[in-house]
Amino acid sequence: MINIKVRNFYYLIAGVLAMLFAVTHAWNGQSAVLPKLDISELSMDTQTVFTYVWHIITAENLVFGIAFIFMSFQSERSKIRFAAWMIAAILIVRLMVILGVTAMLDVSALTDTLIDSIAIVIYVALIILGTTMKKKQSGG
């Protein structure tokens, strides 16, 4: 019998959230954001770049989700801690880019980034909590 046990609930929650973020990001893009590109006066090249950049973020969220779910079952934390910190760093940089670009282009639109910013902060907090977990001592 295979003994599969969640060893890091923070990573499991982060993984599920990341997969949910992938779905909502793709859905929001396909239903609200990307259709606006078709009616604007943007060149086809610009529309193409915007569309694939949007879907790269969706794919990253999906890959991060799968990675964290897989990592939540691993017993050797030291081997996965580096990957968790790298993903957290990517997410922090992503948030800095979102806030920085928004502030440069339209500072009044910063309030529109509030939900995404809160989601990223919670996501990163879960990852950091997961990296700080100590291996349980087995009693006997």
Side-chain angles (χ1 to χ4, degrees):
M1 184 172 165
I2 298 175
N3 184 15
I4 298 176
K5 180 179 175 184
V6 174
R7 303 196 187 277
N8 192 321
F9 282 94
Y10 295 116
Y11 287 170
L12 181 62
I13 294 167
V16 170
L17 280 176
M19 294 185 80
L20 178 64
F21 294 159
V23 170
T24 59
H25 190 265
W27 184 9
N28 186 42
Q30 289 302 124
S31 65
V33 178
L34 298 175
K36 291 181 182 178
L37 293 176
D38 295 334
I39 59 171
S40 69
E41 295 182 15
L42 295 176
S43 70
M44 184 52 70
D45 289 344
T46 302
Q47 290 180 37
T48 301
V49 169
F50 192 93
T51 302
Y52 73 66
V53 168
W54 187 275
H55 289 300
I56 285 170
I57 294 168
T58 300
E60 284 178 358
N61 287 337
L62 183 62
V63 170
F64 292 166
I66 293 167
F68 275 113
I69 289 171
F70 177 75
M71 289 163 45
S72 75
F73 297 109
Q74 301 303 306
S75 60
E76 187 56 49
R77 289 188 175 88
S78 63
K79 293 181 180 179
I80 59 173
R81 191 170 284 138
F82 178 75
W85 277 110
M86 287 303 298
I87 294 170
I90 290 167
L91 294 168
I92 291 167
V93 169
R94 185 187 288 180
L95 179 59
M96 290 171 31
V97 169
I98 290 168
L99 297 176
V101 169
T102 303
M104 284 184 355
L105 297 178
D106 181 9
V107 74
S108 66
L110 278 172
T111 56
D112 295 339
T113 67
L114 187 61
I115 292 173
D116 291 339
S117 298
I118 290 170
I120 292 171
V121 168
I122 291 170
Y123 186 17
V124 169
L126 287 167
I127 295 167
I128 292 170
L129 285 169
T131 64
T132 63
M133 285 187 61
K134 303 287 185 219
K135 190 172 184 176
K136 290 184 180 180
Q137 299 291 333
S138 58

